Amino acid sequence: MKLIFSYAITACRHFSSQAAAFDKKKGSNFFFFKNKKKYGGNGPKTPPRPKIKWTDEQKQVLDAVGNGQSVFITGSAGTGKTFILEHIIKKLRKIHGRSRVYVTAPTGVAACALNGQTLHSFAGLGIGDLDRQSLLDRVLLDRRACYRWKKVKALIIDETSMVDANLFDSLEHIARTLRDDETNELDKKIWGGIQLIVSGDFFQLPPVLKRTKKNDKVYAFEADCWSASFDLQIELTTVFRQSDSLLIQLLQGIRKGENDPEDLKLLEGCCSGYEPDPSAVRLYPRIADVNKVNLEKMKSLENKVYVYKAQDLGDEQWMRQLKSGIAPDELEICVGARVMLIKNINPWRKLVNGATGMVMELCKVSENQYGMSNMCDHGDVLPFVKFDSGLELVVEPEEWVVMDGDKVVARRRQIPLILSWALSIHKCQGMTLDKLHTDLSRVFDFGMVYVALSRVRSLGGLYLSGLEPSKIKAHPKVLEFYHTFNSEQDEKKKALIADRNESSSSGQTITRITSKK
Ligand SMILES: Nc1ncnc2c1ncn2[C@@H]1O[C@H](COP(=O)(O)OP(=O)(O)OP(=O)(O)O)[C@@H](O)[C@H]1O
């Protein structure tokens, strides 16, 4: 069955590229959205915003958050972890007040996606590997960091798979020491009473650690304080990014590092001899390869290059985060360049982080309409992009901010595009892509194959080369963590079913849950 499906993918690709060529010839609605947006034409009507239908698991998370509980949310790629976090942030701001909710992530890219700040800058940790006491001493010397630690009521940490165990324990130690005046260590509240919302999938990218010895702790779940930190640990199990059950099943196997022969056959079907669709984003593990491919492709077009310089405001300390975020210091584009949107502009029109397209022209806009003086080296021009979804748009500058609680401490203004012939696997974590190509023989770390492949919506959009089964691997510690986690959840399930049978009451769907020990 899977073999037949892999032939079907190849055939479907052939016809879709023919259809795309036909569409280009038609050049149907070239100025459609462009006209509406900037020139007063009649653009397509925005479809009504659909009401969110939360799954039972998601409802359980929202209830727990509303009840003041600390929650760890996990689940495979595309199960809505970041999506629900955005709602949790709004909910917590209503409960605790805007200034007492801090949104963080271990990397600038992930932090910027939620308009938050990096975990290091929130905590006042600075750079360098220090032991727990030295980190605390450093924080004590940082007046603003102490203020944040005292003020925070709810702390959100996204992409926890990249937070290491020692850092997680150090943060808990700092929180407890700075926030709780209780002299008896044993009576102090865990995390100093902060409501902690942590989200991530440990099968995705691991923490970047300089030196590790064999028995060193790596992942946050190995932290001494991990179990005691949460009232509820829950796995979201409904995948939204993909709808094809065959692909979902394939990705579940890859996530766990399984080399199922049927799945490998399916992957082989994605390694067809055809040249990958030119609109497919090439994913590389190393940034040097990404830059090389993008530069070469740009050069080969031999078109006039336009440079957009980011406009930054704020303290140097906070600006560092924006520089390591996704919006580039300088964006170089030209007509014909493949580009990707790096901000959710209008999700209901599929104008989301990860949407790809091509620059069709650089449009003159009225002087200073966008306050763009000094932004582009060729004056007041904006890129007009035809997205692969068919939508056309003059892309205006957008803003990224770093929030310190409710205060904006740095902002960057830039055109929300990057070149997208190639992209790094690290930068694509969290994105959804329609078509991608990756060379699996080049990946070097746990979770990389899974992160790369799980970005795609359908098998028809997946182009592979260098299929080496040995590269599909999951870290043994992560496998063990989820094995225990799922067994505990199954035990809870059984107990709940028994309870239900006893009281013969019907009710909510039962999910995998582990409770605070
Ligand atoms: N209840 C829901 N109803 C409809 N769509 C949803 C729901 N929950 C999540 N989604 C959609 O699922 C998609 C994937 O969500 P999201 O990016 O948050 O997943 P994720 O778990 O964070 O993935 P990753 O681990 O890859 O970052 C998004 O397009 C989001 O809009």
Side-chain angles (χ1 to χ4, degrees), residues 51-55 58 75-85 158-159 199-201 204 236 238-241 347-348 352 428-432 450-451 454-455 457:
K51 204 170 178 306
I52 302 165
K53 203 165 168 278
W54 297 111
T55 63
Q58 289 175 326
S76 50
T79 49
K81 299 182 294 297
T82 306
F83 184 71
I84 201 169
L85 268 192
D158 194 14
E159 304 289 4
S199 165
D201 175 16
Q204 296 190 37
L236 305 181
T238 307
V239 176
F240 289 94
R241 183 169 293 136
W348 317 115
V352 292
C428 80
Q429 180 150 315
M431 282 182 180
T432 302
Y450 177 60
V451 169
S454 58
R455 301 306 101 203
R457 281 186 216 269

